[in-house]
Amino acid sequence: MYIERVQVDEGFLDGLDLQLGRGLNVVIGARGSGKTSLIELVRFCLGARAFTEDAADRGYQQARAVLRGGQVTITLTNGVERITTVRSHSDEYPRSTAATPDVTILAQGEIEAVGDQPSGRLYLIDRLRPGRRDLDRRSEQLRAELRSLTTEIRDLLLEIDKMRLAVGESRDVPGELTAALEVEASALQSARATKEDRTRLSSLQHLSAQLKVRRGVFERALQELRSVHSELDRVSNRGVLIENWPESAGKDDLLQPIRVDLTRALGQLTEVRNRIVKAGSSIRDLLQADVRRAVDVDDASREIRSRLGKVDEGVEAATRRVEELRERAGQLAALRQRLNQKHTHALEQVARRDVLYSSLDRLRRERLASRSSIAQSVTDELGPGIQVKVRGSERTRSYASAIALGLRGSGLHYNTLSPHLAAVMPPLELVKAVETREPAAIADAAEISIQRASAIIEALKDEDLGAIVAAPIDDAITLELLDGSVFKKSQEVSIGQRCTIVLPVLLTRHGGILVVDQPEDHLDNSFITSTVVEALRNRHPDDQLLFASHNANIPVLGDADLVVALDSDGKRGFVKHSGPLMDPDSVRAITDVMEGGVDAFRRRAEFYGITTDEE
């Protein structure tokens, strides 16, 4: 695919209708004629990613200012199929007839920033990565699942901690019940209770305990049903999911079949809600029946205690104590069972998370392998003067920030501790150490004391561990330039040298679309002629290059396929001329407005062995 046509309605470039083609398209013109505006409108309309955040913000604001409420339309083609994408001043995203291809666009001054910023260097390689969008989308989905699952595990573990605490507080109940039964037996013997009274009283105590345990089960079930019902209400009460078809959109309601399906689905949702309401009603009936039965049980127990208490006053207190402890023992048994269930569920969710994290790790390795292959390919093509290296999982800034957020307010020096932890412990390893309360794992990995590791766990155990486990960890790209006999990193060299590295790497993508605004900034003519022009002349037949430039060497010595001259009357920019390089009007425009135009044509004549009038 390549950009075939750019159209602008309203704004500074109102009425612009520019035809482009494969090969090198060079936009020229005096300052203020709209060259940069055109480049930023292309980025805006295609939703193309910027290499740096500053360039993205600046370009977005400029595009909207240029449009002044209008819109830009771009048509892409591969010679057979066409894709049209439109974006107005107020559109949040472009509107396209199909998925658009990746387009590499660099704003004025962005080339030198690419070599300096880690994100820019990474994208410089990523734009060459096949299947990048799909792999990044799958990675993002996995991170979202990991975050949600880890939050659920945290809540489960906190609930388990509370249950364990409650179990611990009741650990003496069995012994207390045994002692109370002995006291009760002695009291019943003193009261000369019959065997029938003893059996009946024991049976009623067991039944009373069961009824109270069941009451807790019913109430928890009702609470869970209320929670689910509330979630369903929230969805149902959103009302119409899709607006009614407006008459101004056309006669036929194209969304009607979808609307019918959604209405049917909401009807099924209503049925689910009704079933939940029915289930809740049934549970409340069971609860009420048990409440009535408990009253009967209490009355029967009271009658026996009262009768026997007339003989021995200690009977009532002894039997009530046994009844209380039987209930607590029953609650303890139920709590232990729920604790086991929660623990089993937590282990299942942890295992599920392990699988998700392994999948994410596999995608990271796949991404690293792809980047490494591209880096080697670029190095082979541009070496020995330029080399590209990849270091896996070295960019941990987001991961460190997530740790720091959790450690704030803990009294720990999180600004130094967080990046250190991020460098030595994978996210899942750190999260598991916190969840299992194992300070030794953190102490060994970070080479810190057990006390400090324990403080980290205490600070993080109630925090959002999902943000930590799902934090993006990325590879780092190093661009190096051979300076004499030494390779220097792009962030350590001059701006000109940085451009010397980045521009050739940009031009290694074949069959794609590359848009650059004024690449000659910070470069001298000798470098433009020896490196940039050479790369342009060796371009792939399927490449489309769109350059806005003031330097005549780029179109003239680069053998531009199309020269577009922009002009302005101060209020509006427009296309003054568009044609092949050797069109007389193209030659005139280049010599009139571009730096070194005459010299560029003279060098071109010498290159092709042509005698010029000047000679």
Side-chain angles (χ1 to χ4, degrees), residues 279-346:
S281 179
S282 298
I283 293 173
R284 277 189 291 272
D285 288 343
L286 291 170
L287 179 58
Q288 288 302 317
D290 272 7
V291 168
R292 289 191 294 270
R293 193 175 181 189
V295 171
D296 294 339
V297 169
D298 286 345
D299 287 344
S301 297
R302 189 181 302 110
E303 187 277 327
I304 297 174
R305 286 195 298 268
S306 178
R307 177 163 45 83
L308 296 175
K310 291 177 181 178
V311 179
D312 187 334
E313 293 180 355
V315 169
E316 285 200 54
T319 56
R320 283 188 181 280
R321 177 60 174 165
V322 168
E323 184 176 313
E324 175 196 346
L325 289 170
R326 284 193 190 279
E327 178 195 342
R328 290 180 62 189
Q331 297 287 9
L332 178 59
L335 180 60
R336 281 175 171 158
Q337 182 176 325
R338 293 201 334 264
L339 176 58
N340 288 335
Q341 290 173 343
K342 291 287 183 182
H343 186 255
T344 299
H345 183 48

Side-chain angles (χ1 to χ4, degrees), residues 436-509:
T436 56
R437 314 293 194 262
E438 294 181 6
I442 298 176
D444 291 345
E447 297 183 344
I448 58 178
S449 68
I450 288 289
Q451 290 76 17
R452 199 175 185 199
S454 297
I456 291 171
I457 290 175
E458 186 62 27
L460 294 178
K461 65 182 178 64
D462 295 333
E463 296 297 324
D464 184 8
L465 298 178
I468 292 177
V469 78
I473 294 178
D474 221 329
D475 306 322
I477 302 295
T478 301
L479 306 175
E480 296 182 349
L481 177 69
L482 184 60
D483 187 3
S485 60
V486 178
F487 276 102
K488 294 182 178 179
K489 296 178 180 178
S490 58
Q491 60 269 36
E492 299 172 353
V493 299
S494 67
I495 292 177
Q497 288 177 309
R498 200 174 298 153
C499 295
T500 301
I501 305 172
V502 173
L503 267 173
V505 176
L506 282 169
L507 293 167
T508 58
R509 181 173 186 173

Side-chain angles (χ1 to χ4, degrees), residues 133 156 193 227 281 311 334 372 394 449 454 572:
R133 288 180 176 178
L156 276 170
S227 176
S281 179
V311 179
S372 298
E394 188 164 301
S449 68
S454 297
R572 186 175 71 88

Side-chain angles (χ1 to χ4, degrees), residues 88 111 220 252 318 322 348 365 371 388 469 498 512 520 605:
S88 72
I111 290 179
R220 286 190 295 273
D252 297 329
V322 168
E348 290 171 349
R365 290 193 298 271
R371 286 170 172 165
V388 182
V469 78
R498 200 174 298 153
E520 68 272 8

Side-chain angles (χ1 to χ4, degrees), residues 47-74:
R49 175 178 167 180
F51 281 78
T52 62
E53 290 184 7
D54 288 345
D57 293 340
R58 190 169 58 249
Y60 177 77
Q61 296 301 330
Q62 179 167 355
R64 295 180 77 246
V66 169
L67 286 176
R68 298 175 191 165
Q71 70 176 25
V72 56
T73 303
I74 291 180

Side-chain angles (χ1 to χ4, degrees), residues 60-109:
Y60 177 77
Q61 296 301 330
Q62 179 167 355
R64 295 180 77 246
V66 169
L67 286 176
R68 298 175 191 165
Q71 70 176 25
V72 56
T73 303
I74 291 180
T75 304
L76 300 106
T77 185
N78 57 9
V80 179
E81 301 173 318
R82 279 182 170 76
I83 298 173
T84 301
T85 180
V86 181
R87 190 172 183 182
S88 72
H89 167 275
S90 58
D91 283 338
E92 186 174 0
Y93 301 105
R95 293 166 281 135
S96 182
T97 58
T100 56
D102 280 338
V103 178
T104 302
I105 302 179
L106 288 103
Q108 183 180 4

